[in-house]
Amino acid sequence: MKKKYTFIDLFCGIGAFRIGFEKNNYKCIWSSDFNKNCQTTYEKNFGDKPFGDITKIKTSEIPNFDILTAGFPCQPFSISGHHKGFEDTRGTLFFDICRIIKDKKPKVVVLENVKHFINHNKKKTLKTVISALEDLGYFVSYKILNASNFGLPQNRERVFIIGSRNTFFNFELIKFRKSNNLDYFLEKNGKHNFLKKNEYTILNDKFIKRQESGLIFKGYRNKNGFKKGIRKNTKHLNRVHRQPNRIYSSSGYHPTLPSQESAGRFFIYDEKLKKVRKLTIDECYKIMGFPKNFKKHEKSGEQYKQIGNSVAINVVKEISKQILDQKLLDDKIIRKYDALENLKIQRHARV
Ligand SMILES: C[S@@+](CC[C@H](N)C(=O)[O-])C[C@H]1O[C@@H](n2cnc3c(N)ncnc32)[C@H](O)[C@@H]1O
């Protein structure tokens, strides 16, 4: 039987990384998330309860593993300018990731964050993360990946930062699979929550076109937005520009399911029914790649928050496959020390 590579699931939420990696036969041996509601959902699905606050956990309490995964919260670093490597990250959750990496020396590290992480604090945050990982002995590469290129009808862009002790993870080898449109994923039957005709406005056909992102902006909800400071005859613009009021067509992709949403205000124009309706919670989980038998939290507000905070499973699954295909876990590969040293020299010259 083939060896099962092990991983730990940090900031695990409801376990999307775990599902993606397990699909390629990796074994999760430890997880952590201090959010009680996430712990409940995670335990319901995987049978083990994640450990709590990572800042309070000693590395000696964590078993040895091959891969570390983390969709970690983005926090600013107070950068001294002295390039102290991972010491520059003290006081942040990334520091805790680094301290685990330093002690455990996993073969591969997979980090995920929101797209704007790349430009956060004038790119200093990203540079600090890369420097810290390089100082810990990793080749680092990163790329923004969109869930819609992995068979999911959602325009969800996230940055993936991958460190490997062997050689660079090559993002160019990733296999893309353009998604079908949202229509294809919608529940055919079901008790839908429709908007009344007077509750929305559909744009004139001549204004409707598919954007490069795959979104088709179809109209907006007739909700009152801000009451003050609106210029005469521009009230509708105020509605249009408020993202939660926008209605997208089911013949395109869905916008990113956001993390701060707890009421599920995702309204779509269902082209088959010719009506505006709310995306159901099952549809939300489906367009993140969750399996049908995934057990959601019992509270509706938590279900929405948890899915918005999660990571698209199909993307993680492809990354975990590439890690195997690119032989990043293979002990026989000789590390390119010179390449890493060269890289550090270049980086210090650059920063
Ligand atoms: C962006 S979410 C990651 C979600 C996860 N990737 C998923 O698929 O559901 C970040 C998670 O970090 C957790 N978190 C934040 N600070 C933490 C800490 N100090 N210790 C453990 N978990 C923490 C939050 O509770 C949250 O669930």
Side-chain angles (χ1 to χ4, degrees), residues 133-145:
L133 292 174
E134 284 175 358
D135 284 347
L136 291 170
Y138 290 80
F139 292 95
V140 185
S141 45
Y142 68 91
K143 192 168 173 129
I144 292 172
L145 298 175

Side-chain angles (χ1 to χ4, degrees), residues 21-47:
F21 270 70
E22 283 183 348
K23 278 181 190 281
N24 281 308
N25 211 28
Y26 293 82
K27 186 171 186 225
C28 179
I29 54 167
W30 197 85
S31 57
S32 146
D33 198 302
F34 68 1
N35 180 295
K36 295 272 174 277
N37 291 314
C38 287
Q39 289 180 343
T40 307
T41 310
Y42 196 96
E43 192 174 9
K44 260 209 281 195
N45 284 281
F46 306 105

Side-chain angles (χ1 to χ4, degrees), residues 33-215:
D33 198 302
F34 68 1
N35 180 295
K36 295 272 174 277
N37 291 314
C38 287
Q39 289 180 343
T40 307
T41 310
Y42 196 96
E43 192 174 9
K44 260 209 281 195
N45 284 281
F46 306 105
D48 42 64
K49 186 175 167 191
F51 285 79
D53 191 345
I54 197 67
T55 62
K56 309 242 157 61
I57 293 169
K58 294 196 198 96
T59 50
S60 57
E61 296 169 46
I62 305 174
N64 292 336
F65 55 90
D66 298 310
I67 302 171
L68 177 148
T69 67
F72 65 109
C74 174
Q75 297 168 305
F77 302 120
S78 53
I79 297 155
S80 62
H82 292 114
H83 303 305
K84 288 198 243 144
F86 101 89
E87 288 294 326
D88 273 339
T89 69
R90 231 171 231 292
T92 68
L93 292 165
F94 181 68
F95 177 81
D96 290 285
I97 297 177
C98 287
R99 106 187 133 76
I100 296 171
I101 296 174
K102 186 167 182 255
D103 288 355
K104 296 291 187 178
K105 301 186 176 43
K107 292 180 178 135
V108 176
V109 178
V110 182
L111 308 177
E112 180 253 4
N113 219 301
V114 291
K115 180 187 171 189
H116 84 247
F117 183 84
I118 287 198
N119 295 318
H120 188 251
N121 196 9
K122 300 187 182 128
K123 295 202 160 75
K124 285 184 192 150
T125 305
L126 176 69
K127 278 184 187 165
T128 307
V129 164
I130 295 176
S131 302
L133 292 174
E134 284 175 358
D135 284 347
L136 291 170
Y138 290 80
F139 292 95
V140 185
S141 45
Y142 68 91
K143 192 168 173 129
I144 292 172
L145 298 175
N146 195 331
S148 67
N149 288 322
F150 295 83
L152 295 171
Q154 189 186 166
N155 179 43
R156 187 182 190 88
E157 293 183 294
R158 289 290 185 264
V159 60
F160 287 85
I161 304 167
I162 304 188
S164 157
R165 298 186 82 81
N166 269 340
T167 184
F168 290 101
F169 176 87
N170 187 350
F171 279 97
E172 301 306 312
L173 298 176
I174 280 198
K175 300 231 168 24
F176 291 137
R177 180 164 60 91
K178 266 259 161 267
S179 175
N180 286 320
N181 290 325
L182 187 57
D183 274 328
Y184 182 84
F185 294 79
L186 297 181
E187 292 165 0
K188 303 291 171 267
N189 312 305
K191 258 182 81 187
H192 293 310
N193 183 342
F194 292 106
L195 283 187
K196 294 196 195 88
K197 279 245 158 72
N198 64 352
E199 289 179 310
Y200 60 88
T201 303
I202 295 298
L203 303 181
N204 186 307
D205 272 353
K206 68 178 180 210
F207 296 119
I208 298 176
K209 66 170 196 310
R210 192 181 180 101
Q211 296 163 20
E212 216 179 297
S213 59
L215 300 179

